[in-house]
Amino acid sequence: MITIQILPQLLNQQEFECWLLTKKKSDYVGMRATAYCCPIANWLKESYNVSVDIHGSEIIWSQNKIESPAWIKDFVKQVDLKKQHSTFCTTQEALVILGLIMNNEAISRQV
């Protein structure tokens, strides 16, 4: 059983990337600016049967709030910035955004 204490341990960007790689590049994996249906929320629902609302800086689950890890904050911000293009986010878009975030983190660690 997943608890609020365990939830932060599930928020692993490599696990999210693996989930994305199970999808076709043209598949819709979430909706922009929609807390309950963003790609991260859909991943947690499909992989762990956990329904959350993602509000960028925080994750709300069962009336509990936890702070989002930096990679989720960055990911949600980048996904939502593109909302004028389409309501939906494809696997390909999510992978590109995630790749940019992972690249920036690697560069930051080297500096």
Side-chain angles (χ1 to χ4, degrees):
M1 178 178 179
I2 303 210
T3 64
I4 193 69
Q5 292 79 16
I6 294 173
L7 184 59
Q9 298 169 30
L10 303 178
L11 304 175
N12 180 292
Q13 65 190 59
Q14 286 81 20
E15 293 293 322
F16 178 59
E17 181 181 29
C18 288
W19 177 75
L20 288 171
L21 291 170
T22 67
K23 311 291 182 193
K24 294 179 187 171
K25 288 189 178 197
S26 60
D27 284 352
Y28 294 128
V29 291
M31 295 175 66
R32 302 178 202 289
T34 309
Y36 62 89
C37 195
C38 80
I40 304 280
N42 288 340
W43 161 57
L44 291 170
K45 176 69 175 167
E46 189 176 305
S47 298
Y48 303 107
N49 199 30
V50 173
S51 295
V52 298
D53 286 350
I54 307 290
H55 292 280
S57 63
E58 64 185 12
I59 298 170
I60 301 172
W61 179 46
S62 225
Q63 299 179 357
N64 294 294
K65 295 179 185 179
I66 63 168
E67 185 172 350
S68 297
W71 75 269
I72 289 179
K73 291 176 189 175
D74 292 343
F75 181 83
V76 170
K77 181 179 178 182
Q78 292 303 313
V79 166
D80 290 350
L81 280 175
K82 299 178 186 282
K83 75 178 183 184
Q84 71 274 13
H85 298 292
S86 168
T87 303
F88 298 98
C89 179
T90 65
T91 303
Q92 183 169 351
E93 290 173 298
L95 284 167
V96 167
I97 292 168
L98 188 62
L100 291 172
I101 291 167
M102 292 170 85
N103 233 4
N104 287 340
E105 287 176 357
I107 290 169
S108 294
R109 283 191 295 267
Q110 293 174 2
V111 174

